[in-house]
């Protein structure tokens, strides 16, 4: 079975630009979560979607938004990029909330 | 805000020895705890989990212990192998839609 897939794997953007990151969950998983991981730190929770509705949001500015599609795939959007947004963005899926997360290998975003 | 912390940022063990990675959590309402392993260039990988109605749970070479009185979680790895070298994260969930990760402990296994 395919695991969680994320695209692109790497991305370089300029300050002020917009970025869209994509995630396909494991087949049958209805919950998708997004995390930001800065080098040397643990993943920081951004969003969780379940059954296409936002169910949880972390302490991130409104520049960050996401959505989940009818096929349970998801997009994370970040507007007005800042240098500090440079990080590894991880997507995780699970069958239901409050169960083990299955992570993709992330999208490495560099903002210059 | 909520946080899950770790006692030791780095742990070095000899191959074949047992490893113990500790974690303190801050939210007494958390009822689900998970350990993840992250290797370089990869996303975190699920190792083992435990619900708050249990004190101990065993898997293959791994054991998780939960002490709710002092809000402490530990991961024990038996007969540590070079392939166990990675960063280990504990994480907590309060039964809702947010899993909070700690900062991580890097485990080095010496051959």
């Amino acid at each position: 079975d395919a695991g969680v897939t994320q695209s692109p794997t790497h991305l370089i953007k300029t300050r002020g630009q917009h970025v869209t990151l994509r995630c396909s969950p494991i087949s049958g998983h209805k919950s998708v979560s997004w995390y930001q991981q800065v080098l040397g730190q643990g993943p920081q929770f951004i969003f969780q979607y379940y059954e296409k509705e936002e169910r949880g949001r972390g302490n991130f500015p409104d520049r960050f938004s996401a959505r989940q599609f009818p096929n349970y795939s998801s997009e994370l959007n970040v507007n007005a990029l800042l240098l500090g947004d440079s990080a590894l963005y991880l997507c995780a899926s699970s069958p239901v909330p409050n169960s083990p997360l299955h992570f993709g290998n992330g999208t490495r975003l560099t903002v210059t | 805000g909520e946080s899950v912390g770790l006692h030791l940022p780095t742990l070095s063990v000899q191959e074949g020895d047992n490893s113990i990675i500790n974690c303190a959590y801050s939210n007494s309402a958390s009822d689900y705890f998970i350990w993840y392993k992250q290797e370089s260039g990869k996303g975190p990988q699920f190792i083992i989990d435990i619900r708050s109605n249990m004190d101990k749970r065993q898997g293959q070479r791994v054991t998780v212990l939960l002490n709710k009185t002092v809000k402490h979680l530990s991961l024990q790895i038996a007969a540590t192998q070079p392939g166990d070298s990675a960063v280990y994260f504990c994480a907590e969930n309060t039964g809702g839609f947010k899993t909070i990760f700690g900062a991580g402990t890097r485990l080095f296994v010496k051959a």
Side-chain angles (χ1 to χ4, degrees):
Chain A
D1 285 341
V4 175
T5 58
Q6 293 186 243
S7 63
T9 56
H10 296 81
L11 199 54
I12 299 175
K13 289 286 190 178
T14 304
R15 276 178 298 175
Q17 286 187 317
H18 162 271
V19 68
T20 297
L21 309 181
R22 295 178 174 83
C23 172
S24 293
I26 292 172
S27 179
H29 286 194
K30 298 182 178 181
S31 178
V32 170
S33 299
W34 287 95
Y35 287 82
Q36 181 195 67
Q37 187 175 27
V38 175
L39 192 63
Q41 297 183 17
Q44 298 295 309
F45 175 78
I46 309 176
F47 288 109
Q48 181 174 25
Y49 278 77
Y50 177 59
E51 290 285 18
K52 293 154 282 184
E53 291 188 11
E54 181 184 308
R55 305 292 184 138
R57 172 185 281 259
N59 296 325
F60 280 81
D62 292 343
R63 299 185 295 109
F64 288 76
S65 64
R67 54 180 176 169
Q68 186 176 33
F69 298 99
N71 67 353
Y72 301 107
S73 67
S74 179
E75 283 183 353
L76 175 69
N77 295 283
V78 187
N79 292 324
L81 285 167
L82 303 174
L83 295 179
D85 295 331
S86 295
L88 179 68
Y89 288 84
L90 293 162
C91 174
S93 73
S94 60
V96 293
N98 208 20
S99 62
L101 299 174
H102 299 259
F103 283 86
N105 288 329
T107 294
R108 172 71 62 187
L109 173 65
T110 302
V111 182
T112 63
Chain B
E2 296 172 322
S3 65
V4 177
L6 292 165
H7 295 315
L8 296 173
T10 304
L11 178 65
S12 184
V13 300
Q14 197 70 37
E15 181 180 359
D17 288 350
N18 296 333
S19 302
I20 300 176
I21 301 173
N22 294 303
C23 174
Y25 63 93
S26 60
N27 191 343
S28 57
S30 293
D31 60 2
Y32 178 51
F33 304 88
I34 319 100
W35 282 99
Y36 292 90
K37 170 186 179 184
Q38 187 174 28
E39 297 174 293
S40 181
K42 297 183 179 180
Q45 176 185 7
F46 169 79
I47 302 173
I48 191 168
D49 59 359
I50 188 168
R51 304 277 174 182
S52 59
N53 61 349
M54 301 175 68
D55 297 323
K56 178 179 179 179
R57 190 162 188 226
Q58 288 183 293
Q60 186 175 13
R61 282 203 306 120
V62 294
T63 300
V64 56
L65 298 177
L66 175 63
N67 186 329
K68 295 180 287 294
T69 302
V70 295
K71 293 189 288 187
H72 183 268
L73 192 67
S74 68
L75 176 70
Q76 300 178 1
I77 305 174
T80 312
Q81 302 169 358
D84 295 326
S85 293
V87 177
Y88 289 81
F89 295 99
C90 65
E92 63 179 313
N93 188 298
T94 56
F97 297 92
K98 182 160 66 172
T99 298
I100 304 298
F101 283 73
T105 293
R106 181 172 295 281
L107 176 66
F108 289 102
V109 181
K110 297 176 287 187

